[in-house]
Amino acid sequence: MIVRTQLLGADPRGKPASLEDLLGLANAIEVEAVARYKQLAQLMEHRGERDTATAFYDMCEIEKRHVDMVARRAESFVARLPAPADCTWRLPPEIAASWSEVEHSQLLTPYRALAIAVTNEERAFVLYSYIAAAADDP
């Protein structure tokens, strides 16, 4: 099944071959989100946008709980959760690109920072939808 949206420029690279692969990919997505939300929080704080920074720090904490949740799932299903770095290459390149574009942007506003976060959450949803649609085992 081919799924293309404006959120992802191409079909995701490969599909998880096992539950361990799937959980590793989920872990990589969540770990990336923790790092990026922290980055946006710090950028907003540096620019004096304290309310937006607080929102991103809160989002960072939510994503940390997601990392813990994935780890608990992995413990109950598989012996080993792959390191995020072992799975990051499988993430859609659009996810990293949108974060990198704003890192040194002078045009980053609270609205733009939140829009990037929403878009990347949508991209993760599209990725999971693709994986579910292409799965051999329901």
Side-chain angles (χ1 to χ4, degrees), residues 35-80:
R36 298 308 188 156
Y37 287 156
K38 182 177 179 183
Q39 175 189 26
L40 285 173
Q42 291 169 340
L43 284 168
M44 289 291 103
E45 194 169 52
H46 178 72
R47 293 171 187 217
E49 300 289 350
R50 296 184 202 287
D51 291 341
T52 306
T54 298
F56 277 112
Y57 282 124
D58 290 346
M59 291 163 62
C60 186
E61 291 304 313
I62 291 168
E63 295 301 333
K64 286 178 183 177
R65 288 195 297 270
H66 291 171
V67 170
D68 292 342
M69 192 171 16
V70 171
R72 284 193 307 275
R73 291 275 182 172
E75 284 178 14
S76 68
F77 288 118
V78 295
R80 180 185 81 83

Side-chain angles (χ1 to χ4, degrees), residues 5 11 65 109 128:
T5 73
D11 293 341
R65 288 195 297 270
T109 64
Y128 286 129

Side-chain angles (χ1 to χ4, degrees), residues 60-108:
C60 186
E61 291 304 313
I62 291 168
E63 295 301 333
K64 286 178 183 177
R65 288 195 297 270
H66 291 171
V67 170
D68 292 342
M69 192 171 16
V70 171
R72 284 193 307 275
R73 291 275 182 172
E75 284 178 14
S76 68
F77 288 118
V78 295
R80 180 185 81 83
L81 185 62
D86 294 341
C87 299
T88 302
W89 68 269
R90 297 174 70 179
L91 298 180
E94 292 85 1
I95 290 177
S98 62
W99 296 118
S100 299
E101 290 170 8
V102 302
E103 188 172 5
H104 301 291
S105 172
Q106 296 301 315
L107 303 175
L108 184 63

Side-chain angles (χ1 to χ4, degrees), residues 22-35:
L22 178 61
L23 290 168
L25 185 61
N27 188 52
I29 288 170
E30 301 300 341
V31 167
E32 180 78 6
V34 168

